[in-house]
Amino acid sequence: AAARAGAAMCDVPAKNAAFVFGGADAQNAVLGDAFWLDHATNAWTTVGGFASGGVHPVARAYATANVVATRILLFGGQCRRSAVPAAGVPCGDALWSYDLQLNRWTLEGPFASAPTPRAGHAAATREYSLNVFGEPTDEDIGLPTKHPPETRSHRSHLPPGTPHAATESRRPSLK
């Protein structure tokens, strides 16, 4: 994989590898490729599921990647305005899942209550929950912006397989 900033990365114990998605190159071009870094050999290989005409996330930087069961969840990020999917889902609040067994991407949702778009946030999983924490983004340009005096937190409850609910709560400032 080429050098990049703002890539999403997570460890995938079932594959004995790390997963890396997107980021931005030295010219600030947003990338949409994905790689495995094999822990045993330190070798990089391309992730499947990006067939021409297939469904997959658009290029993005500053997203998060987390493993839940047999899926990798890719949430948020910054992408080019021209890359917003035809369905109208902003890059910053899209939740994608990559099925590790089928090597296939799925755009999850819609959710009754979706989080605000964000990039450069943090995310963690516990059992079947995805918890997202950090500043929302400016929807027009996809860049992180400050929204004092609060920081927002989002939690999706995920049954084995597919996410089914999403809520967002406001947390006090951590000043």
Side-chain angles (χ1 to χ4, degrees):
R4 60 193 65 213
M9 183 177 189
C10 64
D11 186 53
V12 183
K15 293 189 74 67
N16 192 33
F19 170 85
V20 176
F21 183 91
D25 66 15
Q27 290 74 40
N28 287 324
V30 180
L31 305 171
D33 49 5
F35 298 92
W36 296 113
L37 174 60
D38 186 290
H39 292 317
T41 64
N42 262 355
W44 292 96
T45 57
T46 303
V47 172
F50 288 91
S52 178
V55 175
H56 55 78
V58 296
R60 67 192 63 220
Y62 307 104
T64 52
N66 300 83
V67 175
V68 172
T70 61
R71 294 174 183 248
I72 296 171
L73 301 179
L74 183 70
F75 179 77
Q78 175 184 345
C79 61
R80 301 281 182 236
R81 289 180 73 185
S82 61
V84 174
V89 179
C91 190
D93 70 354
L95 176 64
W96 286 88
S97 67
Y98 180 78
D99 188 306
L100 293 164
Q101 297 169 332
L102 300 176
N103 294 322
R104 183 176 62 201
W105 286 100
T106 302
L107 178 60
E108 302 295 350
F111 298 105
S113 172
T116 53
R118 59 189 78 207
H121 55 283
T125 56
R126 182 169 189 274
E127 296 176 351
Y128 292 99
S129 290
L130 174 66
N131 299 284
V132 178
F133 186 79
E135 294 293 334
T137 61
D138 181 314
E139 293 183 51
D140 290 334
I141 58 174
L143 296 173
T145 59
K146 299 294 180 189
H147 292 273
E150 67 190 24
T151 300
R152 297 183 182 207
S153 175
H154 169 73
R155 181 175 180 166
S156 291
H157 299 284
L158 309 166
T162 306
H164 69 84
T167 59
E168 181 174 52
S169 60
R170 294 176 185 226
R171 303 253 175 142
S173 174
L174 302 175
K175 290 182 181 179

